[in-house]
Amino acid sequence: MKCDLCNKPAVVHEFQIMDGIKRELHLCQEHAAQQGFADIPSVSMQSVSTKVGVAAVQSPTCGSCGMSFAQIRQAEQLGCPQCFEMFATPVGKLLEQAQHGATHHVGRRPAGSEADLARRHETQRLMRDLEAAVAAEQYERAAEIRDELARMSRDEGE
Amino acid sequence: MRPDRPPPLARADAPESDVVLSSRVRLARNVAGECFVHRCSESAHRAMLGMLQQVMLRGDLDETLNWVDLETVSAHDRQLLVERHLISRHLAETNIPRGVAIADDETMSVMVNEEDHVRMQAIAPGLQPERCLRRLVRLDAQLETRLNWAMHEQWGYLCACPTNAGTGIRFSAMVHLPALRMTGELSKVQQAAKDLHLAVRGYYGEGSESSGNFYQISNQITLGVSEEELLDQFQRVLIPGVVRYERAARDVLLDRERLTIEDRVHRDLAILRSARLLKADEAMKRLSNVRLGACMGLIDTIGLDTINALFLHIQPAHLRERVGGALSPADARGVRAELVRNMLSV
């Protein structure tokens, strides 16, 4: 059987049954290592004999939340929106399996321009900072953030 | 919340109300640039909760929402909200900072820090998913002017679980299928639902058992199909199909076993009108038969609204609320039986 991500022979085969839906993943050694299956013991005699003393290959992790793809599979949840970029190929496969072959969103999308999105993002960040400042009893900082939010709200109204 | 008030879902005049108790639509959303709930620190949970609470209560939304901090309210109050289907069991039981914004009429709620940052849902009596969807889309559009949802060009709205990516939408109908159960055809419907990529769950959703022959049927696919297509399928094809099956089974019962079914309905009604102790399971089972009898025209002294309301009021937290204090399981049986007797008295 070939790897799901290239034409090399698959050496890692994973089967899951969730909500009655069977999911399969087949990966070659290289892609298995990339997707966090590197710690799975190899069956080759050479690897058994040289196993002791060989440093474990580090699985790549998401720079934003620190999850590896193996952890994502185990938790059946991604860690953050960035995981979708970091593990785009295997996540795409996961989504396809979970969604019965569907690969593209065709429904609603948020309205607004890039500038609107950037403004919302900044407002969101400030609101969270405000909550954190109040929780840490940093009232001067909280007042500054509140002023900044008020200014942004005025600008938006103009 | 007014626990003594009849639930907004107990409406006999709603579309297809003989089989469909209620419709629910929910949208899952996450705030862009933030870890999903299960990867957040406690301080990040609090910051998210505070921010979303502010957004919900700003007063510039069409909906008037009331905030409930689920960390500070009692386990009893959380259970009341679960029984009224305003929060999930998961949100009631988890111990992270979390909350819910609830509309005045209790037909809409927005859960914060559930599996996703935001899970908003609208509920309506009978088969009315379109009404729920319109209301939710309006709220979502308003929230989107204040928040950036995590969005992907190819995969749509991003959710923690791959089964929700895309639209993040779940249409559900709570259906009452006693006749299909009696005629032994329920498994066929369950298999057909599975083949159509529908999930069949119990009375309280994921992981729960059926109670009183109520089942929650919902779509499983959220990617590659638009909200409108899903609505159309759900409202015009899938749920009406289930309704037709159940009605056909009721006709078969009337046709072939009229006396047996009449006996069962009236026997259960007599027990409910006389019992002094009732366990929740027994009450649900007998009320299910009484509801069936009322829908089949075998009982004309009790309205469907009353029976629908009873399914809610006999739940443990609602009984505790009624007596205003703790209730042992044994005492709850007595209070339940008294309530049922009073509500079903001629």
Side-chain angles (χ1 to χ4, degrees):
Chain A
M1 181 172 286
K2 285 182 181 170
C3 171
D4 287 340
L5 308 179
C6 67
N7 281 328
K8 290 181 190 163
V11 295
V12 171
H13 307 273
E14 194 182 70
F15 298 88
Q16 280 193 345
I17 295 176
M18 200 172 83
D19 288 340
I21 303 160
K22 188 176 163 195
R23 295 165 187 185
E24 293 182 24
L25 184 71
H26 308 281
L27 297 171
C28 65
Q29 191 77 50
E30 193 181 323
H31 278 113
Q34 271 181 20
Q35 308 311 331
F37 287 96
D39 298 337
I40 291 176
S42 162
V43 291
S44 81
M45 283 315 289
Q46 191 190 358
S47 77
V48 171
S49 58
T50 58
K51 207 171 169 188
V52 180
V54 174
V57 181
Q58 281 294 312
S59 311
T61 53
C62 172
S64 172
C65 71
M67 275 185 102
S68 69
F69 187 68
Q71 286 175 310
I72 290 173
R73 288 193 69 85
Q74 198 175 12
E76 295 177 351
Q77 288 193 359
L78 290 95
C80 69
Q82 194 58 37
C83 288
F84 287 83
E85 303 292 345
M86 171 75 195
F87 305 109
T89 310
V91 162
K93 191 85 190 163
L94 261 190
L95 285 171
E96 201 177 329
Q97 285 169 347
Q99 300 285 345
H100 298 271
T103 54
H104 285 74
H105 174 56
V106 294
R108 290 184 67 238
R109 287 173 189 277
S113 62
E114 283 297 313
D116 289 336
L117 293 176
R119 181 182 48 73
R120 279 181 233 159
H121 198 75
E122 180 60 11
T123 310
Q124 239 167 248
R125 188 185 64 77
L126 285 170
M127 285 174 81
R128 274 194 313 278
D129 288 353
L130 177 62
E131 289 298 320
V134 171
E137 300 186 2
Q138 296 168 344
Y139 298 115
E140 276 184 32
R141 172 78 187 126
E144 282 170 20
I145 301 173
R146 199 165 286 139
D147 291 345
E148 177 64 13
L149 278 167
R151 189 188 60 72
M152 287 180 69
S153 180
R154 271 198 310 277
D155 291 350
E156 188 190 326
E158 282 167 6
Chain B
M1 186 176 62
R2 294 266 315 279
D4 55 328
R5 198 164 62 177
L9 308 180
R11 296 283 302 272
D13 56 355
E16 325 296 351
S17 66
D18 57 330
V19 179
V20 186
L21 184 71
S22 61
S23 305
R24 179 157 47 145
V25 183
R26 74 107 164 106
L27 291 176
R29 296 286 185 261
N30 287 281
V31 173
E34 297 295 316
C35 284
F36 294 142
V37 175
H38 74 111
R39 284 301 276 187
C40 279
S41 63
E42 193 188 326
S43 58
H45 284 141
R46 278 194 203 288
M48 181 64 69
L49 192 68
M51 179 187 77
L52 290 170
Q53 181 185 357
Q54 279 187 50
V55 172
M56 302 296 163
L57 302 183
R58 279 178 77 110
D60 56 358
L61 302 175
D62 285 350
E63 302 284 345
T64 307
L65 300 170
N66 305 295
W67 182 257
V68 180
D69 183 341
L70 293 169
E71 211 181 8
T72 54
V73 300
S74 66
H76 163 69
D77 285 341
R78 291 197 294 269
Q79 185 55 32
L80 267 180
L81 293 171
V82 171
E83 290 177 4
R84 294 178 92 77
H85 296 281
L86 290 168
I87 64 171
S88 63
R89 288 201 302 193
H90 171 73
L91 197 69
E93 288 164 11
T94 184
N95 55 10
I96 62 168
R98 62 210 188 279
V100 61
I102 301 173
D104 276 340
D105 66 356
E106 294 185 29
T107 56
M108 175 174 259
S109 64
V110 185
M111 293 179 260
V112 175
N113 285 346
E114 219 262 10
E115 184 180 287
D116 296 295
H117 295 145
V118 169
R119 288 270 178 111
M120 49 188 128
Q121 61 163 24
I123 321 175
L127 183 61
Q128 302 192 77
E130 184 167 5
R131 185 169 144 188
C132 300
L133 178 65
R134 299 287 167 249
R135 200 171 163 194
L136 268 188
V137 166
R138 202 165 54 239
L139 176 68
D140 189 36
Q142 289 184 326
L143 291 179
E144 275 176 351
T145 64
R146 302 283 164 209
L147 297 160
N148 267 359
W149 297 136
M151 187 78 196
H152 189 278
E153 186 54 33
Q154 181 181 348
W155 295 319
Y157 291 96
L158 299 180
C159 297
C161 182
T163 54
N164 292 316
T167 54
I169 203 165
R170 192 79 76 216
F171 287 91
S172 327
M174 182 78 81
V175 292
H176 187 220
L177 308 177
L180 283 170
R181 179 88 176 267
M182 283 178 202
T183 55
E185 286 176 282
L186 190 62
S187 57
K188 282 189 211 163
V189 172
Q190 283 173 319
Q191 187 54 49
K194 215 174 189 177
D195 295 342
L196 293 165
H197 306 314
L198 294 170
V200 182
R201 301 190 167 103
Y203 191 59
Y204 289 116
E206 202 161 345
S208 69
E209 296 289 316
S210 165
S211 182
N213 294 314
F214 284 106
Y215 297 87
Q216 231 182 68
I217 301 185
S218 52
N219 64 298
Q220 281 187 308
I221 296 177
T222 53
L223 187 69
V225 53
S226 72
E227 294 87 349
E228 297 299 325
E229 286 171 83
L230 276 170
L231 168 70
D232 194 54
Q233 278 286 309
F234 198 78
Q235 182 168 258
R236 286 195 322 112
V237 183
L238 300 173
I239 300 302
V242 175
V243 170
R244 264 198 311 278
Y245 277 127
E246 170 64 18
R247 284 181 184 155
R250 290 177 187 184
D251 288 345
V252 166
L253 286 177
L254 271 184
D255 207 36
R256 298 187 193 158
E257 295 178 72
R258 187 176 182 107
L259 206 55
T260 309
I261 193 73
E262 276 186 355
D263 179 70
R264 192 178 295 187
V265 166
H266 285 282
R267 194 179 283 269
D268 280 344
L269 179 58
I271 290 173
L272 291 175
R273 278 177 168 161
S274 314
R276 290 326 194 236
L277 293 171
L278 271 177
K279 281 187 182 176
D281 277 1
E282 183 191 352
M284 291 290 281
K285 207 172 102 196
R286 297 195 194 283
L287 271 172
S288 169
N289 285 336
V290 171
R291 189 181 193 279
L292 177 67
C295 292
M296 288 166 86
L298 302 175
I299 298 172
D300 54 13
T301 50
I302 308 162
L304 199 54
D305 292 6
T306 305
I307 302 168
N308 287 345
L310 259 176
F311 281 108
L312 176 72
H313 290 304
I314 60 168
Q315 301 300 322
H318 277 77
L319 290 179
R320 280 201 299 277
E321 188 70 15
R322 184 168 291 272
V323 299
L327 259 183
S328 70
D331 290 343
R333 286 181 218 165
V335 175
R336 183 177 292 115
E338 188 185 352
L339 171 71
V340 171
R341 279 202 314 279
N342 289 340
M343 285 185 71
L344 295 182
S345 61
V346 188

